[in-house]
Amino acid sequence: MLNLKNKVVFKGDRTLWYVVIGLMLASLIVVYSSTGSLAFRVRGGNTSYYLIKQLFLMFGCMVVILTLQSFHYKYFLSFAKIVLGMSLIFLLWAKFAGTTLNDAGRWVTIPGIGFTFQPSEMAKLGIIMYCARAIAFEQTEECCSNNVLWRMTLVVPVLFLIFMENFSTSALLGGVCLVMLFVGRLYWKTYAKLIGVIVGLLILMLAVVFIVPEKHLKSAGRLLTVKSRIEHFVNPSETDSDDSYQSDQAKIAVAKGGLMGLGPGNSVQRNFLPHPYSDFIFAIIVEEYGLVGAGIVMLLYLIILYRVGVIVRRCTRMFPAILVAGLGLCIVFQALINMGVCVGLFPVTGQPLPLVSMGGTSLLFTSASFGMILSVSHTFSEEGEREEKEKLKMAAQGINEEEENEEN
């Protein structure tokens, strides 16, 4: 990749770097298009306001990726517990003293600097890093020990707090953790029992949601929102809600797109969709660029999935392999959920399109995930192995020089 004075700037998998840059460019184009009318109304005619803001965020994302790709994956192993603990603290902060947004206290504002972020995005990294650590530590010659489930109980309170504020994010993380356990070779009987317990809990939750009166659900986190979204998804013609309006407008945008789309900047539904620049940005992509543009975006995420598989196969250690698998699957699953919501395959979830939707917290922590993946990729690439050999050689030479000095 790019070299400055014989020093590699872009390390790791080249194809993955091309995809990251491609998604960033797509983000700038689509965010500018989807926020033009909003910026005109809110920012006094400055239609480039959100484009400039997104450009600065992309610069910050690039800094995060370039920084983390330079760290050895052993640092991620060491800090896994710390990140998980910080996630728990911030989630509790958001629950009891957080900033309310869209009727959900999911945001934390740092006093003094006024920086606001979603702790659930940090929790994604913390949970995946810790689960990869737990799975790696419980490996035997034949499979992963059942003790890993006891280690992973530390994740439960974090997932529960996320569930109380955002069911879709908790479900996404739960699914990723299950896949990580499968890749980590958890004994199949234990895995089957775990799946059974989770399915039973989901059935119990749905039973509670649809049996308990709505007045009692208002004090139970987001259960009432979960109920309304499921009802709309199952019987869209019999419900009337904000979710119904959003979903209908997204479907209209998809229907207008056709094969080639209406062209860049020609979206009509951006004036009707409540969040055309975040939750429903894929609908704007389909409307302006048609099935061709949407297919290219989907292909980029599928390439991420493929390259993650390649990196996992190259790993000779369990922790980096499970870490990359978890981070990559979280990004791809989230993208598929966002796309599925826009075309009516899933209920409305509020999940942004990774590295494309406008935002700050999601972009920065998604960039952190890519930085970790590229770090592992670089470590187990030919280039990384040469660097390790050179470091060992230099260390050996230093020891020999010290021994010679002592003898003299």
Side-chain angles (χ1 to χ4, degrees):
M1 299 296 285
L2 179 63
N3 288 275
L4 293 176
K5 295 182 179 179
N6 298 324
K7 185 176 182 180
V8 178
V9 177
F10 296 157
K11 300 178 181 179
D13 191 281
R14 293 189 178 187
T15 303
L16 198 57
W17 263 114
Y18 295 145
V19 171
V20 168
I21 294 172
L23 290 174
M24 287 183 172
L25 292 175
S27 176
L28 293 173
I29 295 171
V30 183
V31 165
Y32 178 61
S33 174
S34 59
T35 59
S37 57
L38 174 66
F40 185 83
R41 295 194 308 269
V42 177
R43 296 294 169 179
N46 183 10
T47 57
S48 300
Y49 173 81
Y50 292 106
L51 172 64
I52 296 172
K53 181 180 178 181
Q54 190 77 351
L55 187 61
F56 277 103
L57 284 171
M58 287 301 170
F59 176 76
C61 291
M62 188 63 72
V63 172
V64 171
I65 297 175
L66 291 173
T67 301
L68 288 179
Q69 70 164 6
S70 301
F71 283 87
H72 196 278
Y73 70 83
K74 292 181 179 178
Y75 290 100
F76 308 142
L77 176 67
S78 302
F79 285 97
K81 279 188 174 181
I82 296 175
V83 177
L84 184 66
M86 290 177 62
S87 301
L88 179 60
I89 293 172
F90 282 122
L91 284 168
L92 289 170
W93 184 352
K95 177 64 177 176
F96 297 105
T99 302
T100 301
L101 185 64
N102 294 332
D103 297 325
R106 303 186 217 167
W107 298 76
V108 168
T109 301
I110 305 299
I113 61 176
F115 177 71
T116 303
F117 74 100
Q118 285 181 296
S120 60
E121 293 296 330
M122 175 187 287
K124 288 180 183 179
L125 286 183
I127 289 174
I128 293 173
M129 290 169 66
Y130 179 80
C131 288
R133 182 181 187 274
I135 293 170
F137 280 2
E138 294 297 336
Q139 287 296 310
T140 64
E141 293 184 0
E142 296 180 354
C143 62
C144 182
S145 170
N146 292 341
N147 293 332
V148 70
L149 297 181
W150 291 108
R151 285 182 177 269
M152 292 177 66
T153 53
L154 292 177
V155 171
V156 174
V158 180
L159 274 177
F160 179 74
L161 287 172
I162 297 174
F163 168 78
M164 293 300 292
E165 301 297 343
N166 193 327
F167 172 75
S168 61
T169 300
S170 63
L172 170 66
L173 286 171
V176 170
C177 290
L178 285 176
V179 177
M180 291 172 68
L181 285 170
F182 179 79
V183 176
R185 307 185 307 164
L186 181 64
Y187 189 50
W188 68 270
K189 288 186 178 180
T190 305
Y191 192 78
K193 292 178 182 178
L194 180 62
I195 294 292
V197 171
I198 292 174
V199 171
L201 290 174
L202 286 175
I203 293 174
L204 179 61
M205 185 201 74
L206 292 175
V208 170
V209 165
F210 286 96
I211 293 176
V212 175
E214 290 188 1
K215 63 180 180 179
H216 298 300
L217 292 178
K218 291 181 179 179
S219 60
R222 301 277 287 176
L223 290 181
L224 188 58
T225 302
V226 172
K227 178 182 179 180
S228 65
R229 288 179 174 178
I230 293 175
E231 287 178 340
H232 163 67
F233 181 72
V234 176
N235 297 307
S237 59
E238 299 179 7
T239 57
D240 185 17
S241 64
D242 292 339
D243 295 329
S244 175
Y245 176 79
Q246 294 173 8
S247 181
D248 291 342
Q249 296 302 319
K251 290 176 183 177
I252 293 172
V254 171
K256 286 182 177 180
L259 180 62
M260 302 301 296
L262 302 179
N266 293 326
S267 170
V268 177
Q269 296 309 115
R270 65 185 175 187
N271 300 314
F272 300 97
L273 273 168
H275 302 287
Y277 43 81
S278 57
D279 299 353
F280 291 94
I281 197 167
F282 186 71
I284 304 302
I285 293 174
V286 179
E287 184 182 12
E288 293 190 347
Y289 299 94
L291 292 177
V292 175
I296 292 174
V297 173
M298 291 181 64
L299 179 62
L300 291 178
Y301 287 106
L302 292 177
I303 292 173
I304 291 174
L305 183 62
Y306 172 73
R307 297 312 301 177
V308 162
V310 172
I311 296 169
V312 169
R313 288 196 298 270
R314 287 178 180 172
C315 292
T316 56
R317 297 288 186 273
M318 181 58 71
F319 171 74
I322 300 298
L323 178 66
V324 168
L327 294 173
L329 288 172
C330 187
I331 292 171
V332 176
F333 284 176
Q334 182 176 323
L336 293 177
I337 290 172
N338 178 278
M339 296 175 189
V341 169
C342 290
V343 299
L345 293 178
F346 302 125
V348 176
T349 61
Q351 293 294 326
L353 192 60
L355 217 60
V356 176
S357 294
M358 187 178 75
T361 310
S362 177
L363 286 173
L364 293 176
F365 283 104
T366 300
S367 300
S369 297
F370 277 115
M372 292 181 184
I373 294 172
L374 289 166
S375 168
V376 174
S377 171
H378 176 67
T379 301
F380 293 98
S381 65
E382 294 181 0
E383 182 181 346
E385 291 175 358
R386 284 198 302 269
E387 289 184 2
E388 289 291 331
K389 290 179 180 179
E390 289 177 0
K391 290 179 181 179
L392 292 173
K393 185 178 179 180
M394 292 175 64
Q397 289 177 352
I399 293 173
N400 292 334
E401 289 177 359
E402 289 179 2
E403 292 177 350
E404 290 178 0
N405 292 333
E406 289 178 358
E407 291 178 357
N408 295 332

